[in-house]
Amino acid sequence: MLNIILSGAPGSGKGTQSELIVKKYGLQHLSTGELLRAEIATGSEFGKQIDALISKGNLVPDDVMLHLIDQYIDNLPTDCKGVIYDGFPRTINQARAFDELLKKRNQDALMIDLIVNEEDLIQRLLLRGEISGRSDDNLDTIKKRLVVFHERTEPQRQFYKEKNNYHSIDGNGTIEDIFSRIDTLIAAL
Ligand code: AP5
Ligand code: MG
């Protein structure tokens, strides 16, 4: 099993690059953001609680996320070659607990971290906000998401660095150029 964590700030291209990786390598793709937005779309009480967090740029609690991930792994197809985890883990606690979840299944994961200039991130998200309908694609919430990323998500890099499973990728430039960098890295693994 090839488990790839595609990490990076809001707007760094996790979703865009995941689609290209999936197309080329035939892996499963889990975007925890998409999973949560699908729950919101059902109109459930749980969805409403999630929406209140996401629309303000806050993270969903670790225990909720870990429960969802545990279920997801259990329901993977038996012939699954690997998974792109897009936007999970996002805290040190999630990273540690995910490591345990995978260990129990004799698996491991590596992190690919997309590094993009902050000004470009904001521009990308504002542009998408004109059409996305995402409740978090407005300037106030984008700024909050970036703060949360620096405070809560960035520190988890250290965890993967210590495991020698950390790879940073220059996420600036065209979608094709960035994919080519990722592709070279995956091909070498
Ligand atoms: P999530 O949905 O994961 O949002 P995010 O991390 O803020 O990132 P985005 O999806 O906005 O950006 P992306 O990196 O996927 O970039 P994309 O390819 O779309 O999470 C949303 C929320 O859910 C979180 O804030 C949190 O509340 C909650 N959540 C999710 N996971 C959680 C977890 N594990 N724990 C707790 N809470 C969690 O690209 C962005 C835009 O830029 C697009 O329009 C794209 O077309 C464009 N673009 C992409 N690449 C380029 C390029 N090279 N040049 C120009 N434009 C580009
Ligand atoms: Mg995304």
Side-chain angles (χ1 to χ4, degrees), residues 8-17 31-34 36-37 53-54 57-62 65 86-90 94 124-125 128 134 136-137 145 171 173-175 178:
S12 58
K14 300 185 293 295
T16 305
Q17 296 299 330
S31 157
T32 43
E34 295 294 341
L36 296 169
R37 283 186 287 278
L53 294 166
I54 289 188
N58 291 309
L59 296 181
V60 171
D62 289 342
M65 295 315 303
D86 156 2
F88 176 89
R90 267 194 213 239
Q94 287 183 20
R124 286 183 190 179
L125 293 175
R128 187 180 64 189
R134 270 178 62 164
D136 56 352
D137 278 348
R145 285 156 72 193
T174 66
I175 291 170
I178 299 159

Side-chain angles (χ1 to χ4, degrees), residues 23-37:
K23 214 189 264 173
K24 172 139 190 195
Y25 289 94
L27 306 178
Q28 301 285 322
H29 175 203
L30 174 67
S31 157
T32 43
E34 295 294 341
L35 189 71
L36 296 169
R37 283 186 287 278

